[in-house]
Amino acid sequence: LLRCGGDVLDNETQSSNDADSIDANGDDNDSETKSRDMYNKQASNWVRTEPRCLSDFTGRPVVFGMLEDVLNAQHDGSDSKGKVVLDIGCGEGYCARKVIEMGASKVIGSDISKEMIACALSTADGDDDRFKYYESAAGELLKGLNDNRDFLGIDSAEGAFDVAIAVFLFNYLTTNEMEEVILQAFQALKPGGTFIFSVPHPSMIFCHDKGAIFRLDSENKGYYSSRNEKITGIISTIDGTSLNIMSIHKTLSDYITAIFSSGFEIVDIQEAGVTEEHMILHPEFFESVKDRPLHLVFKLKKPY
């Protein structure tokens, strides 16, 4: 199994989660515990070093594209050390390894699953000081950073980072939880810092074609009435494996409201999906989801 922009479940765990839903007043801690237990149990199955699932081709490259100018830019003529990146919900470190490859000097990653953190350390080589990983829930971002600041090599969580990313994290969180994480990301960034995050496109709630390689079990569900509901679905890998997923539905307005309430400015928003290059690479794989918005990617800036 792979972590592919949604909760990936095997047959054993699916039955215990299919009926789960979280409304605005739901028990978020219970959902958090279930996610942690699931990831700890299956973490080693999610390690990958090359693109395999759909969002590795269609979503994450857009995130990396938005990072290019940020990781290569210098705040002033004296800044030549590279950027320090915060990876919130880092999983097994797939994106963390990429940002180091792109030129970041250091990446600090947090995840709710200790086993995912162990996989990240193992894959990156635990002796490489460019990578620092620690276990923490996303909603306790600042607390986790400050509690581990000696190990992480920071003086304080506030204003410590040039860049923050959250790649397919917010589909695990309720709207209120997401707002809290975005606010804490704002506080963790230096003035002028950049925050990039990706999520399933809100219109995916209308995508329930049985033959599609990315679809939700959302037939007869409403765009507004399903806010904060955990919806199951299917996503496929390039080798033809079908994986069970979950996503807590949000509207476009939910994201915009959370962004502006935190103090961030919007630099760019891109709808990500299948490109002509994808169709040339593997037309059979991408055919069922072509010409469809699959993901949203936001690039934000903390004002000076």
Side-chain angles (χ1 to χ4, degrees):
L1 296 183
L2 302 169
R3 182 179 181 179
C4 301
D7 284 355
V8 183
L9 310 174
D10 60 15
N11 290 333
E12 182 178 350
T13 58
Q14 182 183 7
S15 61
S16 65
N17 286 277
D18 275 350
D20 288 351
S21 65
I22 304 174
D23 59 28
N25 299 311
D27 188 345
D28 299 333
N29 290 331
D30 183 59
S31 175
E32 183 177 287
T33 299
K34 289 180 179 179
S35 295
R36 179 189 292 112
D37 291 346
M38 181 178 64
Y39 297 154
N40 283 339
K41 180 180 178 181
Q42 304 179 42
S44 62
N45 295 323
W46 292 332
V47 176
R48 64 200 187 281
T49 56
E50 60 184 20
R52 284 192 62 201
C53 72
L54 176 66
S55 53
D56 288 343
F57 295 95
T58 54
R60 289 172 182 84
V62 178
V63 173
F64 302 146
M66 287 187 176
L67 281 168
E68 284 183 352
D69 66 319
V70 178
L71 294 180
N72 293 326
Q74 297 182 1
H75 290 314
D76 55 54
S78 64
D79 182 5
S80 59
K81 297 185 297 182
K83 303 297 187 293
V84 179
V85 178
L86 175 62
D87 187 355
I88 312 167
C90 63
E92 49 76 55
Y94 182 87
C95 292
R97 295 188 292 274
K98 180 64 176 181
V99 298
I100 290 293
E101 179 185 319
M102 294 175 66
S105 62
K106 181 177 181 178
V107 59
I108 292 177
S110 66
D111 199 273
I112 195 172
S113 165
K114 64 180 180 181
E115 295 299 333
M116 294 290 265
I117 294 297
C119 288
L121 287 168
S122 175
T123 306
D125 184 352
D127 295 329
D128 191 334
D129 286 339
R130 296 175 300 173
F131 299 92
K132 293 289 186 180
Y133 297 108
Y134 70 99
E135 180 186 352
S136 178
E140 297 180 343
L141 178 63
L142 295 178
K143 181 181 184 300
L145 288 167
N146 281 321
D147 287 349
N148 294 278
R149 61 182 178 271
D150 291 340
F151 164 70
L152 299 174
I154 59 175
D155 295 327
S156 173
E158 290 77 4
F161 298 92
D162 302 293
V163 181
I165 60 174
V167 180
F168 297 112
L169 167 69
F170 294 143
N171 46 294
Y172 298 91
L173 306 181
T174 65
T175 300
N176 289 340
E177 290 174 317
M178 176 184 70
E179 290 174 347
E180 179 61 28
V181 174
I182 292 177
L183 177 59
Q184 292 188 49
F186 182 91
Q187 295 170 319
L189 285 170
K190 299 174 182 177
T194 298
F195 181 35
I196 297 172
F197 71 86
S198 61
V199 294
H201 199 287
S203 69
M204 281 300 300
I205 196 168
F206 301 121
C207 298
H208 40 71
D209 302 337
K210 296 303 182 184
I213 61 172
F214 183 20
R215 63 185 184 273
L216 297 178
D217 301 323
S218 53
E219 192 169 1
N220 299 320
K221 292 189 181 294
Y223 181 79
Y224 297 106
S225 58
S226 297
R227 289 177 67 244
N228 287 312
E229 181 177 347
K230 188 181 286 187
I231 302 173
T232 60
I234 291 291
I235 197 168
S236 297
T237 65
I238 194 74
D239 59 9
T241 303
S242 294
L243 306 174
N244 299 302
I245 61 171
M246 275 188 187
S247 181
I248 298 177
H249 176 66
K250 300 172 189 66
T251 67
L252 177 59
S253 294
D254 289 331
Y255 296 112
I256 300 299
T257 298
I259 289 168
F260 285 136
S261 65
S262 68
F264 276 114
E265 298 173 350
I266 296 178
V267 176
D268 192 12
I269 304 174
Q270 291 190 30
E271 294 177 302
V274 173
T275 66
E276 293 181 3
E277 290 77 12
H278 293 139
M279 293 303 296
I280 294 172
L281 173 68
H282 202 315
E284 295 84 4
F285 179 63
F286 295 107
E287 175 68 30
S288 66
V289 290
K290 72 176 183 180
D291 200 24
R292 173 183 296 179
L294 302 176
H295 325 287
L296 272 181
V297 186
F298 295 83
K299 183 176 185 177
L300 315 178
K301 182 177 181 178
K302 179 177 179 176
Y304 286 102

